[in-house]
Amino acid sequence: MSLARLSFNQATAQHWPLPEVVAGCVASGVPGIGLWREPVAGYGLARAAKLVRDAGLTVTSLCRGGFFSAEDWQADNLRAIEEAATLGAPELVLVSGGLPAGSRDVDGARRRVADAIGELAPHAAAAGVRLAIEPLHPMFAADRCVIATLGQALDIAERFDPAVVGVVVDAYHVWWDDTVYAQIDRAGARIAAFQVCDWVTPLPEGVLLGRALPGDGCIELRRLREAVDAAGYRGPIEVEVFSAGVWARPGAEVLDAAIAGYLRHVV
C-alpha cells in the first residue's frame, strides 16, 4: 500500500530534532510533514523552511493559531499566517481557545471566535494560507477550545470562502460524535486537514496526552478515512499523537510504528 498521502506530524516524536525528523521521513518514503510553531521558531523559521524544501518534503500544516481569548491573539495570529506562508504550509490549524478568565459565557466565546476569524480571513487569503478550524473534544472546552464539534466548526467556516476557511477532522476529537459522518459529508470541500491517532483509556491526568498510535485504541480510523474520502477530500493524512509513552521512544521507532499503524488501520 502507498504512503503517498501520509504526513508525519512532528509532535508525534516530540523530542526528535527537526533535521532528524526530516531525514527520517525522507528515508522512510513519507512525503509530508506537519510542523509546529514553537520547535520551528527554536530552529529558525527561514532555516526550517529551507531544510524541509531542500529535502523535498511537503509541509501539510502548521499548528497552531487561534487561542482567541488571549490578549495578543490578533498579532500572534498574523505572525502565524506569515510563518505558514514562509514554510509553504497551505493550512494554519486554529485551536480556538477556551473561556476568557472568569467567564461562563460559552456562547459568547464562540461568537468571538467567529468574529476573530472574520478579521483574520483577508490576511490569510492574501498570504495564500487557509485557516483550518479544529474542533476539540468537549473536555477541552473550558481551557483550550470552545469549538467542540465538527458541526460548530462548520457553522463558522460556512460564512467564508472554502479556499480561505476550512475545518480539521481530527479522529481523536470527533470519533465519539454520533453526527460526525453527516457533518463530514456536509463539510465536503471545506475539509482542510485529516489527522489520525487513537483513543486509549484510562486517560492520563490532565487528559491532553491520552493519545495513541493508530491501531492501539478504539477509534474506527478506516471508517473515518473512508468518510472524508467520500466527501471529496484527497489531501494528506497526518499522524499526530500526544503521548508521554510515545515521546519516550526513539524517534525513528515512532515513525516506523506510525507508518505501520497507518497502513494497517487507516488505509
Side-chain angles (χ1 to χ4, degrees), residues 33-56:
I33 186 169
L35 297 176
W36 279 68
R37 294 177 66 199
E38 293 82 1
V40 164
Y43 187 76
L45 177 63
R47 191 176 170 214
K50 184 177 188 303
L51 173 71
V52 176
R53 183 174 61 248
D54 289 352

Side-chain angles (χ1 to χ4, degrees), residues 102-227:
S103 173
R104 294 180 173 86
D105 183 6
V106 67
D107 292 333
R110 290 182 180 131
R111 287 193 294 270
R112 282 190 291 275
V113 170
D115 292 344
I117 290 172
E119 290 188 39
L120 295 174
H123 300 279
V129 173
R130 179 158 53 170
L131 303 174
I133 306 169
E134 181 173 13
L136 266 58
H137 190 284
M139 64 184 171
F140 296 112
D143 62 342
R144 288 186 175 273
C145 190
V146 292
I147 305 303
T149 67
L150 188 56
Q152 291 169 357
L154 285 167
D155 288 345
I156 296 174
E158 286 173 348
R159 307 178 192 185
F160 304 95
D161 184 333
V164 178
V165 180
V167 296
V168 180
V169 179
D170 184 325
Y172 185 77
H173 295 299
V174 304
W175 72 274
W176 58 274
D177 184 352
D178 64 349
T179 73
V180 69
Y181 294 101
Q183 296 299 333
I184 287 172
D185 183 64
R186 170 190 171 191
R190 294 186 183 279
I191 300 174
F194 177 46
Q195 296 179 328
V196 296
C197 66
D198 226 324
W199 180 286
V200 291
T201 53
L203 291 173
E205 183 178 358
V207 303
L208 184 63
L209 306 187
R211 301 189 182 205
L213 289 162
D216 290 345
C218 63
I219 301 177
E220 292 182 290
L221 294 172
R222 185 174 293 107
R223 183 183 177 193
L224 285 168
R225 194 269 303 159
E226 290 170 347

